Amino acid sequence: MNTEIKDENKEYEQIIAQQNQKVEQMFSISFLTKENTTVERTEGGLMSATVDGTFYKRVRPVRCFPFTDPDKYISLREGSGNESREIGMLLNIGDLGAEAEAIIRNQLDLMYFMPIIKKILSIREEYGYSYWDVQTDRGELRFTVRMGGNSINKLSDTRIIISDLDANRFEIPDTSALSAKELKMLDLYL
Amino acid sequence: MPRAILSALEKESIEPVAWAYADLTCDGTLEGSGHSTANTYLVLSATELVLLSSKTTSSVKTYNGYFEKRVRAKAATLPEVVDSIRRLSLADISSPKVENLVSGGCLLVTVNDAERILCVFSGQYVHPMTDFCRELERATKKDDTDGAKGPEHDPHANAHEEETRCPKCGMLYPERDRKICPRCMDKKSIFLRVLKYFAPFKGRIAIMMLAVLAGTAMTLVLPYISGTVLFDNVLAKDEAASAFLESLGIPGQFVTALWILAAALLLSKLLQTLFSIIQGRTVASVVPRVMKSIQTSIFDSLGRLSISFFSRRQTGGLMTRITGDANEVMGFFIDGLPYIFTHAAYIICSMVIMFTISWELSLISLVLIPALFTVGFMMMPTLWHYYGKRHRANRSMNARINDNLTGARVVKAFGREQEEIARFDKINSRVRRSELDLVDFDNKYLALFTVVEQLAQLAVWLVGSILLLGPEQGITYGVLVTFVGYVTGLSNPLDFMSYAMRWWTDSMNSAQRIFEILDAVPEVTERENAIELKDIKGKVELEGVSFSYEPNKPVLKNVSLVAQPGSMLGIVGHSGAGKSTIVNLISRLYDCNEGRILIDGIDVRDVTFASLRKSIAMVSQETYIFMGTVEQNIAYARPDATSAEILAAAKAASAHEFIMRMPDGYNTVIGAGGRSLSGGERQRISIARAILADPRILILDEATASVDTQTERSIQDAIDKLIVGRTTISIAHRLSTLRAADSLVVIEHGEVVERGTHAELARAKGVYFKLLQLQSKALALKGISDTPKDS
């Protein structure tokens, strides 16, 4: 009887110890360095990594602060969607060396594809949608934005992210660089 | 598919089974990714996956939804030139998947054990690409299983491709779930339908219209009296005036004539006022009545509609529909429509009069009138825009205020008052700015409008004076004054007309929205000759039930279960497994897509709603307390219950004690605006409600999930009393709640994975066992061993 209770207690203690370990993992961030991490570009255009001797076939870099601090705090993650898990964090994008940085940047560019609006050609509104015709770093683009709601996200007083119907994003990095005429067109939508 | 791609495929003799398009890049190298001119076509044939990349010379990329008023010639889509073809044998390919990127996505496949990125595409291609990926998966799998599992075609697979734009003009529908194009909708028939609501008030409407017309006539008469009659007849002492005075027997008394004139002016002013009073009074008596009948019919049809109608829409949206849309429609019919007629009548009449007086002057004003109209028409949209902006700014200020008041405790606790004030200041100055912008533009608009208007008058004065002084004496002074009076009078109607069109479109859109509710067909309907469910034993059966709220996303898959009369069936599963859906189906808030649900062997679809819902009572996690007294809330399902019955029910639900602690006892007003109750108290009231309803079948949906352990005890006691002699279906994720269950069913991803008694399932060491272990471990961690290994 006594031993049974003791066994049971042992079992619980083990569980608690395991839990504590997990909790610790959950609550601290492990930063990756040149010493413990290497990344490689795979033949298929993706990225793999070796961290502390463990090889991860597919690793995705994700920014913690994609808008405010894009080159710092980059989480390297395995798996995708809801099952993704952090392997470790890069404090600076260049922490693993220039070659690694190029690979990571390439993956980030894929992940965060967003044309930059250079010039607004026209914005027109009709029945709940606005129709934009803009010049971007990717050529002239035309897209449609639903009015109302959160389609236009003001990151700061001068920086704007616009999401179209299908959640494609377009950025105006600095509205003060626009001409007075463009600003006037834009102003009605801010 | 473009011709170039087709001919390239033909040349390579590839027979396409399915295809998809990606707009960003195609090669796995990702070089130059994201160029808007890159096109990739993925073509699936029986044995291969072919990637064709091409370049268009078109420099403009158009995203989904973009719409141009004037459809330009299709020359923009220049012929494509295929510049590379890659062929991959399906045998080498496995596990294709679409991965979401921040915007858009990419298609990945494993080729010879190496994962490869095939193409990248923007948002609008995610859905079609997902379909293509499914197709590809099927094709690659077929090789493994050798067609053992035939290609199952999902009828809903293409559901998301349904039209989102108007087939007539190609414009996107303003509301996604509403296939109505405000530009092309049949405004006339909607208009006539709204008019029907006014039919009972024909007489009054006629009076109103008469008053409006008479008022207009007075307005038309005024300039004539104060112009031509005053100057040319009376002051000029002409023949007509003399003849008039003679007929009155007072020849030559022109001062008296002046008095008569003044009296006539006063009279017509008075009449004008009188008519506007009559008009106002009839409007005031008709509008509230029509409003009431429209709102009542909306509310009626809301009651008739199935629950799915409500869950698909936001409650806020429905509220605006009932109040806002009805207001919008009324506003137009009362403040707009009569004036459209009168203003139109005024414009036409005064033009006719003006032309009969002097065609030269009329021509001059005719040139300027369109100018006036254009100013209104051109500037109005921008003015509306500023109104909209002010509205949005106000709304976000309200949201901020609301946010702060709700979070007042947190703000205080962290001492962030100053920062919050600063934040509020920022938003407040935005409101100020938008208000100033609006006023600014409004002034500009008014100024411009007035300038044009003044110019028109000035031109009339000028030309009039020239005519007056000219050698031919084309007109008299009185005519000129009359004329200017008419020109001035025109500006208001013209201003009105310039925005009446928009008003009309908006109000017809509102009316259309109202009619949508009125015309909505409930998805769950009572069939003809439905059976009354009477004296049932309470056996509940599900036979192969499948169900999905949205096409393509099955929630329940072929679920079968039985709850014997008088027994308790427990349903266990993770959140989102489909437990609550089963309950929704049993009480027929929805109908299942496949299979059937039987109560005492009778399909629920053959039973009247009233008798079905009388036989079933539900106690759920979300308790709703209506505005009213405790008594009314308990007796909600049976308003005819006696006080003794209500007391007994409350007692059995262990609610009696806390009710008696409130000063007004059972007459205490609770619910919104009344005394607030704790979660446990609300729960016990809802149990009392269920006890009083005395159903044969009782459904407990996470009835004790949101209360503390102690309260749970007392609620559990109440439930224990409640379930005696009834068929109970109990859903819980806290397994301790289901101790008393006679049998248990474990649901995972919409399927029954285990069934049996508690002991059987614990022995089976399956999903249930895992859940049990997990929960006792969690308890162990907390230092509580509630059920130490009672299996």
Side-chain angles (χ1 to χ4, degrees), chain A residues 41 124 126 129 138 142 168, chain B residues 29 36 63 67 123 173:
Chain A
R41 187 194 177 112
R124 186 161 54 76
E126 201 173 6
Y129 293 93
R138 313 274 177 179
R142 293 175 182 163
N168 295 311
Chain B
T29 60
S36 53
Y63 283 86
F67 159 77
Y173 295 123

Side-chain angles (χ1 to χ4, degrees), chain A residues 129-160:
Chain A
Y129 293 93
S130 50
Y131 299 90
W132 300 57
D133 188 347
V134 295
Q135 199 72 51
T136 70
D137 60 338
R138 313 274 177 179
E140 187 181 340
L141 303 179
R142 293 175 182 163
F143 55 89
T144 311
V145 175
R146 192 182 299 279
M147 297 292 290
N150 306 317
S151 301
I152 294 174
N153 184 6
K154 270 182 101 168
L155 295 180
S156 73
D157 285 339
T158 54
R159 194 167 165 210
I160 298 162

Side-chain angles (χ1 to χ4, degrees), chain A residues 116-129:
Chain A
I116 308 286
I117 295 176
K118 303 275 186 200
K119 191 171 165 54
I120 298 172
L121 301 174
S122 87
I123 310 174
R124 186 161 54 76
E125 189 201 342
E126 201 173 6
Y127 297 122
Y129 293 93

Side-chain angles (χ1 to χ4, degrees), chain A residues 8 11-12 15-16 19-20 41-46 57-58 60 80 106-107 109-115 122 124-129 131-133 137-144 146-149 154 157 164-170 184 187-190, chain B residues 24 28-31 33-36 59-69 72 97 99-104 106 108 113-117 120 122-124 171-176 182-183 382 385-386 389 392 395 426 437 505 776-777 780-781 788-789:
Chain A
E8 214 169 84
E11 206 176 297
Y12 284 138
I15 294 166
I16 290 169
Q19 290 279 344
N20 283 345
R41 187 194 177 112
T42 69
E43 192 196 336
L46 303 165
K57 203 170 172 188
R58 167 89 201 278
R60 305 205 310 167
S80 62
N106 175 271
Q107 294 291 314
D109 286 348
L110 168 69
M111 184 79 187
Y112 294 94
F113 175 75
M114 177 162 67
S122 87
R124 186 161 54 76
E125 189 201 342
E126 201 173 6
Y127 297 122
Y129 293 93
Y131 299 90
W132 300 57
D133 188 347
D137 60 338
R138 313 274 177 179
E140 187 181 340
L141 303 179
R142 293 175 182 163
F143 55 89
T144 311
R146 192 182 299 279
M147 297 292 290
K154 270 182 101 168
D157 285 339
D164 87 341
L165 292 182
D166 297 299
N168 295 311
R169 292 179 178 185
F170 308 90
K184 208 176 154 198
D187 186 50
L188 293 172
Y189 300 90
L190 297 184
Chain B
L24 294 180
T29 60
L30 284 182
E31 295 305 335
S33 76
H35 277 297
S36 53
S59 60
V60 184
K61 177 173 168 60
T62 306
Y63 283 86
N64 195 15
Y66 195 82
F67 159 77
E68 279 168 297
K69 266 187 191 157
R72 292 183 203 168
K97 66 177 178 197
E99 212 168 76
N100 284 333
L101 302 174
V102 170
S103 60
C106 58
L108 301 173
D113 281 342
E115 202 165 31
R116 209 167 234 299
I117 191 156
V120 186
S122 48
Q124 66 267 42
M171 202 180 68
L172 280 171
Y173 295 123
E175 286 162 58
R176 208 177 311 212
R183 183 205 292 260
T382 322
H385 217 128
Y386 278 111
K389 209 179 156 188
R392 284 199 290 276
R395 204 174 46 191
K426 204 169 160 190
D437 282 352
T505 307
S776 55
K777 268 180 204 169
L781 270 173
K789 299 214 162 176

Side-chain angles (χ1 to χ4, degrees), chain B residues 17-334:
Chain B
V17 179
W19 68 284
Y21 170 75
D23 59 335
L24 294 180
T25 175
C26 153
D27 51 352
T29 60
L30 284 182
E31 295 305 335
S33 76
H35 277 297
S36 53
T37 46
N39 293 312
T40 305
Y41 294 87
L42 289 90
V43 178
L44 181 68
S45 74
T47 54
E48 278 178 316
L49 174 66
V50 188
L51 303 171
L52 301 100
S53 66
S54 73
K55 284 210 178 70
T56 35
T57 31
S58 165
S59 60
V60 184
K61 177 173 168 60
T62 306
Y63 283 86
N64 195 15
Y66 195 82
F67 159 77
E68 279 168 297
K69 266 187 191 157
R70 275 158 284 133
V71 180
R72 292 183 203 168
K74 287 261 171 174
T77 49
L78 288 158
E80 300 197 1
V81 184
V82 177
D83 49 31
S84 84
I85 296 182
R86 275 168 66 208
R87 310 173 68 144
L88 296 165
S89 167
L90 285 183
D92 300 336
I93 297 176
S94 64
S95 55
K97 66 177 178 197
V98 169
E99 212 168 76
N100 284 333
L101 302 174
V102 170
S103 60
C106 58
L107 182 68
L108 301 173
V109 295
T110 307
V111 183
N112 299 330
D113 281 342
E115 202 165 31
R116 209 167 234 299
I117 191 156
L118 279 189
C119 62
V120 186
F121 40 88
S122 48
Q124 66 267 42
Y125 302 110
V126 173
H127 270 315
M129 195 57 87
T130 312
D131 286 348
F132 180 76
C133 181
R134 210 178 294 135
E135 208 72 44
L136 185 60
E137 197 176 2
R138 214 169 282 150
T140 51
K141 258 197 194 137
K142 225 195 274 177
D143 288 344
D144 303 342
T145 54
D146 209 13
K149 204 177 172 192
E152 41 180 304
H153 194 73
D154 194 332
H156 300 306
N158 295 324
H160 53 74
E161 277 171 25
E162 59 186 304
E163 259 332 293
T164 52
R165 34 172 87 237
C166 171
K168 223 171 173 179
C169 69
M171 202 180 68
L172 280 171
Y173 295 123
E175 286 162 58
R176 208 177 311 212
D177 299 326
R178 226 179 121 233
K179 312 229 170 315
I180 300 295
C181 171
R183 183 205 292 260
C184 302
M185 72 183 174
D186 184 4
K187 296 186 193 92
K188 227 190 288 167
S189 65
I190 299 168
F191 175 73
L192 291 176
R193 203 168 152 192
V194 179
L195 270 188
K196 276 192 194 140
Y197 280 91
F198 289 91
F201 309 101
K202 268 184 221 133
R204 272 177 251 208
I205 302 276
I207 292 172
M208 189 189 83
M209 289 308 274
L210 276 178
V212 166
L213 285 175
T216 311
M218 286 301 125
T219 323
L220 279 169
V221 166
L222 275 170
Y224 193 74
I225 297 178
S226 58
T228 312
V229 178
L230 174 66
F231 291 102
D232 295 348
N233 298 106
V234 180
L235 292 182
K237 301 183 183 179
D238 74 340
E239 282 162 37
S242 309
F244 176 70
L245 288 174
E246 236 159 88
S247 71
L248 285 182
I250 40 165
Q253 300 272 343
F254 283 101
V255 179
T256 318
L258 213 54
W259 279 110
I260 294 171
L261 191 76
L265 268 179
L266 186 68
L267 185 71
S268 50
K269 270 276 179 206
L270 280 178
L271 279 175
Q272 203 183 359
T273 316
L274 179 73
F275 290 134
S276 80
I277 290 173
I278 293 174
Q279 184 202 337
R281 286 196 64 121
T282 35
V283 165
S285 75
V286 171
V287 173
R289 293 194 170 98
V290 177
M291 277 290 264
K292 184 183 159 244
S293 73
I294 290 182
Q295 285 179 349
T296 310
S297 51
I298 298 174
F299 200 80
D300 277 356
S301 35
L302 285 181
R304 182 174 51 85
L305 290 168
S306 311
I307 197 83
S308 56
F309 184 89
F310 299 95
S311 46
R312 248 189 283 124
R313 291 163 179 80
Q314 293 169 332
T315 324
L318 285 176
M319 293 272 287
T320 18
R321 269 197 210 188
I322 299 178
T323 54
D325 285 340
N327 265 327
E328 174 82 30
V329 174
M330 273 315 95
F332 174 74
F333 272 78
I334 297 309

Side-chain angles (χ1 to χ4, degrees), chain B residues 28 52 58 67 168 171 230 248 251 392 437 461 468 513 517 556 619 671 715 724 731 743 769:
Chain B
L52 301 100
S58 165
F67 159 77
K168 223 171 173 179
M171 202 180 68
L230 174 66
L248 285 182
R392 284 199 290 276
D437 282 352
W461 275 116
L468 193 66
R513 272 207 295 262
I517 297 186
L556 293 180
V619 178
I715 291 175
V724 174
I731 295 174
S743 61
F769 179 72

